[in-house]
Amino acid sequence: MSSTTTTNSSNSAPPAQDPASYFVDLLRHSSPWAAEDSHDREDEPTELNTLNSSGGFLVVSTDKLSVKYASVNLHGHDVGVIQANKPAPVKRLVYYFEIFVKSGGAKGQIAIGFTNESFKMRRQPGWEANSCGYHGDDGHLYRGQGKGEPFGPTYTTNDTVGAGINYASQEFFFTKNGVVVGAVYKETKAPLFPTVAVHSQNEEVEVNFGQRPFAFDIKEYEMQESMKQQTAIGKISVPPNVSYELVRSYLQHYGYEDTLNAFDLASKSTVPPIYIAQENGSDEQDILFALTQRKTLRQLIRNGEIDEAMSKLREWYPQILQDEKSATCFLLHSQKFIELVRVGALEEAVKYGRIELARFFDYPGFESLVQDCVALLAFEHPQESSFGYLLDDSQREIVADAVNAMILLTNPNVKDLQGCLRSHLERLLRQLTVCCLERRSLNGDQGEAFHLRRILNSGKKAKC
Amino acid sequence: MSLFWIVFRQLAEIEAMATSKKLITREEWEKKLNDVKIRKEDMNKLVMNFLVTEGYVDAAEKFQKESGTEPDIDLATITDRMAVKKAVQCGNVEDAIEKVNDLNPEILDTNPQLFFHLQQQRLIELIRNGKVEEALEFAQEELAPRGEENQSFLEELERTVALLAFEDVSNCPVGELLDISQRLKTASEVNAAILTSQSHEKDPKLPSLLKMLIWAQNQLDEKAAYPRINDLSTAMLEDPAV
């Protein structure tokens, strides 16, 4: 953006300073085109990578899920090592895979672990930096140095051994025959490949990337790990009435007056009665500002009575609708248009659109919504079209929220814009989301993603 | 690795941690906050969940109308649940037990601890009302057999019966059983059991999200300095201490 500012508000000025444009953005986000943050789907290892292995020393089966040491090992560098085709996925709590030792071969020098992309394919996992391996012949754990440390039992023919990464604790862990052997801190944040190695004649292992049930109960492990976090969170205490206060200020903020009254009435008769400190008396006044008018307008908009809402608004707060090109006007006009489409008054909709919507066509930020609105006309059953989201109840709610915020802004005592746009509850939820995202990004983007929606929709079994 | 190296590395790590704490300015943080997508309907759901779980049935009904949010439970069941809760809160335990059984007889059948606590509460109410003989009879017939099955029940029974040993119960070591808080404890236990039987979570989601916020801020404190919200009820952002 240039630093020059035009003093006269020209027609082409972007409506960026218009507080209600915030709600236009919200509407845009509710369209099916808006990318849902669902990109935490990752590829998982499914088979062994036959292209990058120490070929010559091992033979990979045709299903790429088992390996066998093919020759007689002559010296330490004749390791038959192979990685999975994909690195372990990171956007989760735990990753885990297993091997079944079909034959310990001549010396049982089998290893399981994780290695990074640049790992030298002639070495056992754990012999190189940024790798880690649990070795069958001595039961030692190797992590980056040539020498291992005592770790767990040895393993050989008929044993099932697993290796996993716990992203919450940033640890590698290993299992033998379904029991955890131990865990060790994972220093690297780089992508890691599940890796197995065989190193003496006739050693043979099968790899299980989850295509078959694991010997180890990974679900239970995962549950216990997430319980650890839940327990830590559960121990935190919050001031006793804070939830109650937040709900109350939410109802006030959005002008849900009837709910608020019922809520207040009920909380007077609870045992023990809920006591709210009244020290922030002026805040209370501000948030109650024009409550009844805000409620009335919300009801009208929610009922689709846009003309009535606009005439009331003109009567009570003429300044809000003064600028015919404001985001508030746009939202109300487009909603009116949508309501006409809803009842099938298409001709009237066309007429209305020409008079009231056409002018928004070349407005940056508005044009896509205008286009979506108009596109509704093209469908016999607009509800089922990809523009059907405009006919949702939530659409009306957003328009009502915009009007509500604009009225709050007319309060001469209003201190900050944010306070009118967002309730306390919303500010807390945003803070929560950013904290979780930020923490994860400082952790190399590893671990479970934070999804507010998932939390809100969890634990509810469809009944009734 | 020699001990020297281990110590050296740990020292280096501690030093790095002290200096590498990332500073996030208010401006950067606010931009991140603005980028978050929060749906109105999700917030409405959260509020509805609170109203329903805490039993604000009228408010839930009004909220359904005013916001179009569907409650995650049949509202009629809230009225029944609150009637049970209220009965316990007022000391009408017998009435409460009857109401629970009307709702769903399995609740008490499958939850011996809850049933014991209700019976215990009944005993407490009898003692409170000075009905000593009736209290003794009730303790012997209803509570003692259960105490024999379960050690912790037996201990609680002993504590309760001890109330009879004092002339001035307001000043005795087990006097707290007569406190209103004991009724509230029992009432919320019944409330939770009914919600569970209706396949509903027994606690509202909002308080646990608030706990999660405090936890997440504490966790992030270890790695970054950023604007925090310290007072949940005002939700004001406070600048990072540098």
Side-chain angles (χ1 to χ4, degrees):
Chain A
M1 279 281 146
S2 74
S3 58
T4 50
T5 45
T6 42
T7 38
N8 61 326
S9 56
S10 68
N11 289 348
S12 58
Q17 299 92 329
D18 184 345
S21 62
Y22 172 74
F23 295 93
V24 177
D25 288 342
L26 280 186
L27 276 195
R28 277 219 313 267
H29 290 147
S30 65
S31 82
W33 292 268
E36 191 73 20
D37 337 56
S38 59
H39 38 75
D40 53 322
R41 187 155 303 201
E42 297 172 278
D43 282 337
E44 289 183 31
T46 50
E47 57 185 32
L48 296 166
N49 180 353
T50 47
L51 298 176
N52 180 26
S53 67
S54 36
F57 297 111
L58 47 69
V59 175
V60 180
S61 63
T62 47
D63 63 0
K64 299 185 182 177
L65 288 170
S66 69
V67 288
K68 186 173 181 178
Y69 198 78
S71 57
V72 182
N73 71 328
L74 299 172
H75 51 77
H77 289 283
D78 294 346
V79 180
V81 63
I82 191 161
Q83 292 179 322
N85 60 339
K86 296 268 162 45
V90 299
K91 295 178 178 180
R92 51 174 71 191
L93 190 58
V94 175
Y95 175 75
Y96 180 76
F97 78 105
E98 275 180 358
I99 57 170
F100 172 70
V101 183
K102 254 179 122 172
S103 166
K107 295 180 184 163
Q109 292 171 326
I110 296 161
I112 179 171
F114 292 94
T115 57
N116 70 353
E117 193 156 22
S118 59
F119 186 73
K120 283 198 202 110
M121 299 307 288
R122 283 292 164 85
R123 310 278 285 153
Q124 289 271 19
W127 283 4
E128 294 278 305
N130 296 322
S131 75
C132 178
Y134 172 32
H135 292 203
D137 55 345
D138 56 8
H140 285 192
L141 185 83
Y142 292 73
R143 39 176 183 154
Q145 293 93 31
K147 225 171 133 244
E149 49 203 284
F151 181 67
T154 60
Y155 57 87
T156 184
T157 312
N158 282 332
D159 283 328
T160 300
V161 182
I165 304 174
N166 180 336
Y167 290 111
S169 61
Q170 290 288 316
E171 282 176 330
F172 294 113
F173 66 96
F174 295 91
T175 67
K176 182 185 167 187
N177 296 330
V179 181
V180 175
V181 170
V184 60
Y185 187 68
K186 172 175 88 70
E187 311 216 358
T188 177
K189 301 263 189 275
L192 291 167
F193 291 80
T195 305
V196 292
V198 282
H199 197 180
S200 78
Q201 201 171 11
N202 291 329
E203 286 176 13
E204 188 175 4
V205 298
E206 287 173 0
V207 188
N208 181 4
F209 290 120
Q211 70 272 20
R212 280 177 285 121
F214 290 125
F216 177 62
D217 191 346
I218 188 69
K219 284 269 168 306
E220 172 69 20
Y221 177 86
E222 228 174 329
M223 211 179 70
Q224 281 182 3
E225 283 305 304
S226 80
M227 277 300 286
K228 275 186 197 163
Q229 184 177 320
Q230 292 303 319
T231 318
I233 293 172
K235 280 189 189 138
I236 290 169
S237 69
V238 289
N241 283 338
V242 69
S243 297
Y244 172 87
E245 284 174 63
L246 285 170
V247 166
R248 190 157 184 273
S249 79
Y250 183 87
L251 299 175
Q252 290 169 334
H253 177 93
Y254 285 110
Y256 295 120
E257 192 185 20
D258 295 346
T259 313
L260 179 68
N261 289 340
F263 189 58
D264 279 348
L265 194 69
S267 51
K268 269 184 209 134
S269 61
T270 55
V271 195
I274 290 170
Y275 170 75
I276 298 288
Q278 287 292 336
E279 58 201 85
N280 45 359
S282 65
D283 276 7
E284 170 97 4
Q285 279 305 306
D286 287 341
I287 208 164
L288 285 174
F289 180 78
L291 182 61
T292 305
Q293 290 172 330
R294 290 189 283 126
K295 172 194 105 167
T296 308
L297 288 166
R298 176 177 297 276
Q299 273 173 351
L300 290 170
I301 296 168
R302 285 195 54 85
N303 291 337
E305 297 168 46
I306 307 300
D307 284 340
E308 183 63 16
M310 285 181 87
S311 89
K312 280 268 186 296
L313 197 54
R314 249 181 221 113
E315 181 188 325
W316 292 333
Y317 301 96
Q319 67 271 41
I320 292 176
L321 293 182
Q322 215 161 31
D323 179 3
E324 273 286 299
K325 288 192 168 179
S326 66
T328 315
C329 282
F330 167 68
L331 286 168
L332 285 162
H333 286 314
S334 60
Q335 193 59 38
K336 166 77 184 171
F337 178 87
I338 291 166
E339 300 301 343
L340 288 171
V341 173
R342 191 194 310 274
V343 296
L346 296 188
E347 261 174 69
E348 206 183 325
V350 170
K351 217 184 286 168
Y352 191 85
R354 282 181 187 160
I355 300 168
E356 301 292 0
L357 282 185
R359 76 179 99 102
F360 294 102
F361 248 104
D362 51 356
Y363 253 55
F366 293 176
E367 75 275 42
S368 67
L369 262 179
V370 181
Q371 284 164 15
D372 282 9
C373 285
V374 178
L376 286 172
L377 295 170
F379 296 91
E380 200 181 340
H381 303 289
Q383 196 98 48
E384 287 143 36
S385 75
S386 38
F387 306 97
Y389 77 96
L390 290 168
L391 295 160
D392 280 353
D393 233 22
S394 54
Q395 199 77 3
R396 288 171 167 176
E397 183 86 358
I398 293 175
V399 176
D401 289 346
V403 170
N404 182 68
M406 292 309 284
I407 297 175
L408 284 176
L409 274 170
T410 63
N411 182 351
N413 294 330
V414 72
K415 280 161 251 131
D416 69 325
L417 171 66
Q418 289 297 319
C420 295
L421 296 182
R422 293 172 192 161
S423 60
H424 291 177
L425 179 64
E426 177 166 357
R427 282 190 257 169
L428 295 175
L429 293 176
R430 282 177 189 272
Q431 180 82 357
L432 168 62
T433 310
V434 173
C435 282
C436 290
L437 292 176
E438 202 54 31
R439 174 171 171 260
R440 192 163 163 273
S441 106
L442 291 173
N443 229 349
D445 275 328
Q446 300 187 346
E448 273 180 306
F450 174 78
H451 288 287
L452 185 63
R453 300 211 87 189
R454 226 170 271 170
I455 296 172
L456 290 178
N457 294 315
S458 71
K460 195 176 68 189
K461 291 169 212 152
K463 228 191 161 181
C464 351
Chain B
M1 196 157 42
S2 74
L3 187 64
F4 168 76
W5 274 104
I6 294 173
V7 171
F8 181 81
R9 234 179 53 184
Q10 279 178 349
L11 281 175
E13 268 169 27
I14 290 166
E15 201 176 70
M17 266 162 60
T19 52
S20 72
K21 221 175 176 184
K22 189 178 167 191
L23 176 73
I24 309 174
T25 65
R26 196 184 181 102
E27 207 176 313
E28 292 166 330
W29 191 256
E30 278 180 350
K31 188 177 175 311
K32 288 173 200 284
L33 288 173
N34 288 337
D35 287 344
V36 174
K37 287 178 200 135
I38 304 273
R39 288 171 191 247
K40 177 71 185 305
E41 51 191 286
D42 287 342
M43 293 193 288
N44 280 347
K45 258 189 220 167
L46 192 58
V47 168
M48 182 57 102
N49 171 272
F50 181 85
L51 297 176
V52 161
T53 317
E54 294 289 300
Y56 293 99
V57 60
D58 293 337
E61 219 166 88
K62 290 280 187 321
F63 193 57
Q64 184 180 16
K65 278 199 197 108
E66 282 191 304
S67 73
T69 310
E70 288 306 315
D72 52 6
I73 201 166
D74 182 2
L75 289 181
T77 64
I78 303 180
T79 315
D80 297 335
R81 175 163 54 93
M82 295 320 279
V84 175
K85 198 174 166 187
K86 203 140 213 174
V88 180
Q89 284 168 343
C90 301
N92 303 325
V93 187
E94 232 181 313
D95 185 30
I97 293 174
E98 203 170 301
K99 285 193 162 88
V100 175
N101 281 331
D102 286 349
L103 256 174
N104 181 355
E106 269 180 35
I107 296 173
L108 293 181
D109 280 351
T110 54
N111 205 334
Q113 179 160 339
L114 172 65
F115 187 58
F116 180 82
H117 284 154
L118 281 167
Q119 298 284 54
Q120 180 193 18
Q121 191 65 45
R122 219 173 131 185
L123 178 61
I124 293 169
E125 302 303 340
L126 288 172
I127 296 171
R128 189 197 314 274
N129 296 330
K131 296 179 177 164
V132 178
E133 254 174 72
E134 210 178 316
L136 282 173
E137 200 179 315
F138 182 73
Q140 285 165 9
E141 278 177 20
E142 298 291 338
L143 286 167
R146 290 179 181 273
E148 276 164 20
E149 295 160 17
N150 183 315
Q151 185 61 30
S152 70
F153 289 176
L154 190 64
E155 281 161 23
E156 289 189 62
L157 176 60
E158 276 177 38
R159 275 184 68 222
T160 316
V161 175
L163 283 171
L164 289 167
F166 297 92
E167 190 121 18
D168 177 18
V169 282
S170 65
N171 212 358
C172 80
V174 286
E176 65 191 40
L177 287 173
L178 289 170
D179 198 75
I180 182 88
S181 64
Q182 181 68 24
R183 280 184 182 174
L184 297 182
K185 215 169 100 187
T186 312
S188 74
E189 200 182 331
V190 190
N191 186 51
I194 298 176
L195 279 168
T196 307
S197 77
Q198 292 165 345
S199 307
H200 195 280
E201 289 172 308
K202 59 183 168 54
D203 298 310
K205 290 185 202 282
L206 180 55
S208 43
L209 280 172
L210 297 177
K211 287 179 181 186
M212 205 165 159
L213 169 60
I214 295 175
W215 177 83
Q217 290 194 139
N218 291 345
Q219 293 274 317
L220 191 57
D221 282 343
E222 290 170 16
K223 297 193 170 161
Y226 62 95
R228 285 178 123 258
I229 291 180
N230 293 319
D231 183 348
L232 294 178
S233 59
T234 61
M236 290 302 280
L237 217 51
E238 290 172 32
D239 285 326
V242 186

